[in-house]
């Protein structure tokens, strides 16, 4: 990067970076890099990622110490925030609007397992930023079940396509699923907690359709458990029909087609 900035004829920018002198990491920047960037006249965005800051709890005090370090080094006019992931206490699950990724505040945050979980959640939502057509989502006036199914199918085809371009994202998501299974955040039906038929169907699809991509036998076990329970409510013939239809996901490569498949499945119910 130093060579590139030396040769650049336009301002250079580090969009989300943190201080190597405070938390050594291959992703972080040296004092020399900060000075060279500031010399080109632009602002440096400070990241809030826990691993880079040397604090998996992502404490605001830690981020402030990194910010103060760079302010003292190159001046406040060159320092800003580069937060493309937001932890929001109002969120119950990860989500994105296509521009920012929002994550829930996870209890006991600070363990390595939770760091793995966060990476998987971020990579999953980044998939939506890359592949989801949010104009289709906003324009949809379909019933709630159709939107739920379309989002589910979007998850499956999007993660499949992302894995071919960014295999590291698929590895992160798989690791996060392993953590969720270990922590029982992701599991089969609980006989003590009755579930709605719609929730059972969603779990059949999400577990069964993702299982081939992540090679996690637990997903197949969860699928079978939910399928047996759901068949007891609606019969095996209907379950087989909706499953065969859902397997058309292999041909889906757009948000529009994900909605079309969701409509096709919902018409069978």
């Amino acid at each position: 990067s130093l060579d590139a900035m030396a040769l650049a004829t336009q301002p250079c920018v580090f969009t989300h970076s943190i201080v190597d002198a405070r938390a050594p990491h291959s992703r972080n920047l040296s004092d020399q890099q900060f000075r060279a960037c500031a010399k080109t006249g632009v602002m440096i965005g400070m990241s809030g990622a826990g691993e880079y800051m040397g604090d998996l709890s992502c404490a605001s005090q830690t981020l402030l110490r990194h910010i103060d370090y760079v302010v003292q080094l190159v001046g406040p006019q060159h320092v800003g925030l580069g937060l493309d992931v937001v932890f929001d206490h109002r969120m119950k699950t990860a989500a994105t609007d296509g521009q920012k990724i929002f994550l829930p505040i996870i209890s006991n945050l600070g363990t390595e397992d939770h760091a793995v979980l966060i990476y998987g959640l971020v990579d999953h939502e980044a998939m939506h930023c890359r592949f989801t057509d949010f104009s289709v989502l906003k324009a949809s006036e379909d019933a709630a079940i159709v939107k739920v199914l379309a989002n589910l199918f979007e998850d499956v085809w999007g993660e499949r396509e992302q894995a071919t371009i960014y295999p590291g994202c698929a590895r992160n998501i798989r690791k996060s699923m392993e953590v969720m299974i270990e922590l029982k955040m992701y599991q089969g039906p609980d006989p003590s907690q009755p579930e709605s038929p719609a929730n059972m169907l969603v779990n059949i699809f999400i577990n069964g359709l993702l299982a081939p991509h992540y090679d996690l036998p637990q997903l197949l076990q969860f699928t079978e458990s939910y399928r047996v329970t759901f068949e007891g409510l609606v019969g095996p013939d209907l379950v087989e029909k909706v499953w065969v239809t859902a397997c058309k996901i292999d041909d889906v490569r757009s948000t529009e087609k994900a909605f079309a498949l969701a409509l096709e499945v919902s018409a069978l119910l």
Side-chain angles (χ1 to χ4, degrees):
S1 62
L2 290 172
D3 290 340
M5 285 185 284
L7 293 172
T9 58
Q10 298 291 327
C12 299
V13 61
F14 289 114
T15 56
H16 41 291
S17 304
I18 215 75
V19 182
D20 191 69
R22 290 201 63 88
H25 190 283
S26 58
R27 176 67 177 73
N28 295 346
L29 301 179
S30 67
D31 290 4
Q32 189 178 8
Q33 288 172 301
F34 281 120
R35 289 192 182 99
C37 183
K39 191 175 181 180
T40 70
V42 299
M43 185 183 72
I44 299 158
M46 302 299 293
S47 169
E51 181 181 4
Y52 306 148
M53 293 195 301
D55 178 4
L56 291 179
S57 72
C58 300
S60 57
Q61 295 91 335
T62 304
L63 176 57
L64 289 172
R65 283 192 284 270
H66 279 272
I67 292 173
D68 182 66
Y69 184 97
V70 182
V71 166
Q72 299 301 323
L73 188 70
V74 298
Q77 70 274 25
H78 296 297
V79 183
L81 292 176
L83 306 178
D84 44 12
V85 175
V86 178
F87 286 90
D88 190 332
H89 65 89
R90 297 168 297 180
M91 304 298 296
K92 293 182 179 180
T93 187
T96 182
D97 59 6
Q99 297 179 328
K100 286 189 176 69
I101 293 172
F102 301 90
L103 297 180
I105 303 296
I106 301 173
S107 62
N108 298 322
L109 188 66
T111 68
E112 186 62 32
D113 279 348
H114 283 92
V116 170
L117 176 57
I118 289 169
Y119 292 147
L121 291 173
V122 168
D123 282 342
H124 172 77
E125 297 305 328
M127 170 276 294
H128 285 297
C129 294
R130 293 180 177 116
F131 296 107
T132 295
D133 185 343
F134 286 86
S135 66
V136 173
L137 297 182
K138 293 175 182 177
S140 172
E141 297 181 358
D142 294 305
I145 184 61
V146 174
K147 292 180 180 179
V148 169
L149 290 172
N151 185 65
L152 183 156
F153 294 142
E154 192 79 2
D155 288 348
V156 176
W157 83 262
E159 287 188 9
R160 181 193 68 216
E161 295 300 309
Q162 179 173 253
T164 64
I165 306 171
Y166 305 103
C169 291
R171 288 193 293 271
N172 285 343
I173 293 172
R174 187 184 192 280
K175 288 178 183 177
S176 72
M177 293 174 76
E178 290 175 328
V179 168
M180 286 190 282
I181 291 170
E182 183 179 349
L183 297 177
K184 299 191 182 303
M185 299 169 66
Y186 200 105
Q187 57 187 336
D190 182 351
S192 68
Q193 300 290 330
E195 296 186 49
S196 68
N199 193 60
M200 292 180 193
L201 182 62
V202 166
N203 276 284
I204 290 170
F205 286 161
I206 198 66
N207 288 296
L209 296 175
L210 287 177
H213 301 294
Y214 293 113
D215 191 27
L216 287 171
Q218 297 96 325
L219 298 186
L220 292 175
Q221 294 169 10
F222 298 160
T223 302
E224 186 58 27
S225 296
Y226 273 110
R227 182 163 181 158
V228 168
T229 306
F230 194 56
E231 284 179 351
L233 295 174
V234 303
D237 291 343
L238 178 57
V239 174
E240 182 62 19
K241 285 181 181 178
V242 296
W243 174 253
V244 169
T245 304
C247 285
K248 294 180 181 180
I249 190 66
D250 292 339
D251 298 322
V252 170
R253 286 176 175 78
S254 72
T255 304
E256 189 173 11
K257 288 188 176 181
F259 265 92
L261 182 58
L263 284 167
E264 189 175 351
V265 170
S266 67
L268 297 172
L269 300 175

